[in-house]
Amino acid sequence: MVATTQQKPETDKKKIDDKKGTGKAEPKKEEMTEEDQKLEEDLNLLVQRLSEPDASLYKPSLETMRTLIRASTTSMTSVPKPLKFMRPHYAKMKEIYTSIVAPDVKKLCADIISVLAMTSDERTDTINYRILGSHEPIGDWGHEYVRHLAMEMSEEWKKEGTSEARKEELIQLTQDIVSHHMKHNAEVEACDLLIEIERIDLLISYVQEVDHQRVCLYLLSCAPLTPDPDNIILIRTALQLYLKFNRYLEAVRCAIMVNDVPKVREIFSKADNPLLRKQMAILLGRHQIFLDYEGAEDSDALAELNSNSHLYEYFHSLARELDIMEPKTPEGIYKSHLEHSRPFGNSSQPDSTRMNLAAALVNGFVNCGFGVDKMMAETEEASRWFYKNKEYGMLTAAASQGLIWRWDIDTGLAQCDRFLYINDDYIKAGTLLAIGIISSGIQDACDPASALLLDHVQSDRSIMRVGSILGLGLAYANSKRETVTKNEERGVIFELKKVLSDQKPSAIPEVKGLAGLSLGLILVGTADAEAAMEMLQALMDKSETELTDPNMRFLALGIALIFLQTQDKSDVFVESLRSLPDPFGAMVSTLVEVCAYAGTGNVLKIQKLLHLCSEHYETPAAEKKTAPGRGTRGTNAASATNAAGAGTATPARPATQSVSTDSTTTPAPSGTPAVAPGAPKKDGPAGAAATPAAPGTAGADAAPAPPAKPDLSSQQAVAVLGIGLIAMGDDIGSQMALRMFGHLIRYGEPVIRRAVPLALSLLSVSNPQLNILETLSKFSHDSDSDTAHNAIFAMGLVGAGTNNARLVAMLRNLASYHYKDQVSLMLVRIAQGLTHLGKGTMTLNPWHSDRQLLSPSALASLLSICFCFLDANNTVLNSRQHYLLYTLVLAMQPRMLTTLIEDDMKPGSLKQLNVSVRVGQAVDVVAQAGKPKTITGFQTHTTPVLLAHGERAELANDEYISVTPHLEGLVILKKNPDYQPVVVSTKK
């Protein structure tokens, strides 16, 4: 970093100087002032004295020279005069240095040459002569000299074959430079230098309390831009700095960033301020890391805050403040009377099963967390509503009651209890799932979820197992508590692992797939090799045909979620997964690798994934089948057809088609597809590509071709999602990914096109940016129904919980566009429900705490649903597994700011307090001088208040002090002892 940023001014100076020195040398001489002429003559005389044999004159001459050089005041645009006049004598000075004998004079001469070297073309002379010199304080020669040393340092450090002794000298010099930078408010340059030479550990001893906030902020904002393992080292350095100055809350945030739970516990034990401990517990609860606090004196209060058990009360108070407690109906959201209705033939049977299903989901999404609605409140009404659906539709409809009583365990369980004793298994299973949804993100001490759901995990009826297993996954996502982790009967993880090897008839693939997914959600980001191994074993035991079952993909997803954000810890598993039969093995290993680097912004991984997306899987097989000459022609034909189809909106032109024409040795003309859109599945060479083990005739290969064809490129679909998943880590990366997706959509295979809308939605969840909405709107009218379905759902994710008016209008138009297509219409309705999620008070965005923390369970839920949509026709849209949409529950969080203060009447407990806050667009203040404003264009509100994406809040006056620097979610305040109220004096 240092080298690139600081080299330019230096080279520019040289250029300016060269121009002045060469082409216009004659007129320059005349323009020299008397002072300059005198200076030049003095310097020439001094150099002449140094070349004379009289050694006694050396020291005074060098000292005079030093004084002249230091005294020259310089403008930033030109080289200082003395350095300019001394430049011709540079080689001479080096000769003089070698001839001097007296050590102190020699060192003085080395110091001067070190400074002169800044204008010479010889690399590293500045450093070499500085080391040989007298080691005076480094700042005496001015800031530009220090910057020059730093610039050369990074080059010198990276040279091959640098000896240990040399490195020791360089480290010594680096420490001088860093010390100078830290004293002169150049913390950023100091960090850059140490990052460049990979010795950031040296920083800790130089940082003072005054500047530690700036340094840590800079380190944390550099982390997404550095490759691993450097990014982790930067975060850990910031953590150590925060601990050095007793900033425990910030230290906990750093520990959360690297997912180091033992470190979190350690910091907890160091913090002694009770309010600070409570704020930490709230932060962990928001991030959904749930710990046991036994042994702590305030364990009950901490556990209560960490478990989010009062979240619904604060949420309801926000709703009352905004006056939105009145329940809404799905029709109130659709406003179908505003859709462009057609005079004849209105939508095919308005009361179809898919519409009923959509209405149940929308009702849940819109009234999520409010505890009141118009469909589920009365038992009779709810039952009537459930029975409008069939089988799995009933399960999904019954589970939607969980959304309405979200977070409110006491009321919610009482409501669900009504349906646990009905003799319909589908409604019972849905109610079990609802209990999981209510408990998700809440860790009640008496664990009602495990008590109620574990009884049905080993049930003989597969549908009961489906509801209870997914319910457990949602209820205990990312939990680290004893109930969940204990390795014995009734331990949640233990019971779920038993399902993986279960041989009962009720252990259908669906049940095993969901058990894998639930284990992934519970152990998200733990890199628990034991559980991952058991799931891998379950996959290894399956034959190649069994692996084509869509439910097996959930086992794969479970393994991937266990390694979410663990970076290099996943390497061993990525390799071992490649041993699975190919299309599946390649897909899973890519999935795990993608998850491991999710949210890191790792550029190298994104490049690797782009490389995967650019491949055509059919070409290698074609080359094997045909003569070498023909094979290459086939490849060209493949790329030609692909390029020809670039701008068109007909995705059904995979490269297979050109290969099939190649086997008859006449490449297809690039514009005209030789095969009908559905045909590539049936032709011979595609089958051969899918099953290279059977090199028989084309007819023999045709049988296994249909199932293998879509899987062949499943790895590419995962890679596209992966680009979005990794790039969401930093804003620059996201913008670059947007451009890449533009290319992929134009030139990629159909499978890639289908995945792009989902990847786009991951980049801006609950943040409806105009360019992304426009792109998705375009694809929601695509002729390929899968692309359109994914784009419609992606629109829902992008606008989730924002009530965005433009998006609402787009979806209303889509509803009238897709009025005949029930599946698309159902997705439009669901997207409308998501847009009004919690009546516009919630977000699905996994980033929180000023966009610095990435909640693993929220990310896992978004990834799970996007992964389902890669193969939507076999999962979410197959009239069976629409309950998978409930995985989104883990990402639903209220986007509110509520301020709390210690209750004087009940010491130790907190009460809500309404104070004035300013809410405005967040401003990036990293590495800016002074104390810049952190928000712009603000408005003053009274808490509780909603925060939109990219907004930040600060207290409007000094009456209270906030315990946390980031006002978001639940914030504890304390009275400011130095506050003096402003007295307005009125004239009598």
Side-chain angles (χ1 to χ4, degrees), residues 307 488 707 842 922 987:
S307 68
E488 57 190 71
M842 297 204 181
K987 289 183 180 176

Side-chain angles (χ1 to χ4, degrees), residues 511-681:
V511 168
K512 291 192 174 181
L514 287 175
L517 176 58
S518 290
L519 278 171
L521 291 172
I522 294 170
L523 294 168
V524 63
T526 53
D528 181 332
E530 189 187 335
M533 204 60 230
E534 289 195 29
M535 283 147 85
L536 176 59
Q537 198 53 52
L539 286 173
M540 295 236 180
D541 295 342
K542 302 276 180 278
S543 67
E544 198 167 331
T545 43
E546 283 177 307
L547 285 178
T548 55
D549 186 317
N551 287 298
M552 289 301 112
R553 294 160 61 100
F554 293 124
L555 274 173
L557 181 59
I559 296 175
L561 293 179
I562 289 177
F563 289 103
L564 191 73
Q565 288 186 291
T566 51
Q567 303 197 23
D568 47 2
K569 290 184 191 159
S570 65
D571 292 353
V572 180
F573 255 82
V574 171
E575 289 309 314
S576 53
L577 284 162
R578 292 190 204 282
S579 62
L580 292 167
D582 204 18
F584 191 78
M587 185 271 293
V588 185
S589 63
T590 309
L591 184 62
V592 174
E593 190 168 15
V594 157
C595 280
Y597 290 90
T600 56
N602 188 313
V603 183
L604 304 173
K605 294 291 168 198
I606 292 180
Q607 286 171 348
K608 187 175 169 187
L609 295 172
L610 282 168
H611 188 70
L612 275 179
C613 293
S614 64
E615 284 177 19
H616 294 302
Y617 279 100
E618 292 80 5
T619 41
E623 283 171 23
K624 277 183 212 157
K625 303 278 286 178
T626 53
R630 289 188 205 154
T632 48
R633 192 161 30 153
T635 318
N636 295 343
S639 51
T641 42
N642 236 35
T648 59
T650 49
R653 191 184 289 125
T656 338
Q657 156 236 318
S658 55
V659 177
S660 63
T661 51
D662 180 50
S663 55
T664 57
T665 70
T666 51
S670 55
T672 54
V675 194
K681 290 187 182 178

Side-chain angles (χ1 to χ4, degrees), residues 473-488:
L474 296 177
Y476 292 107
N478 200 17
S479 179
K480 312 274 185 287
R481 289 172 56 241
E482 176 68 20
T483 331
V484 184
T485 52
K486 63 182 180 190
N487 198 12
E488 57 190 71

Side-chain angles (χ1 to χ4, degrees), residues 30-47:
E30 292 162 23
E31 285 172 23
M32 274 173 71
T33 60
E34 284 183 19
E35 281 178 23
D36 289 354
Q37 281 176 329
K38 169 95 171 57
L39 179 63
E40 188 173 29
E41 283 163 13
D42 288 354
L43 287 168
N44 289 346
L45 180 67
L46 291 170
V47 174

Side-chain angles (χ1 to χ4, degrees), residues 396-417:
T396 303
S400 72
Q401 54 188 326
L403 287 169
I404 291 160
W405 287 286
R406 175 98 204 268
W407 303 309
D408 184 355
I409 287 198
D410 300 339
T411 323
L413 291 181
Q415 296 285 354
C416 289
D417 197 51

Side-chain angles (χ1 to χ4, degrees), residues 782-790 821 824 873:
D782 201 277
S783 60
D784 174 48
S785 60
D786 290 352
T787 311
H789 291 164
N790 289 357
D821 177 1
S824 301
N873 295 334

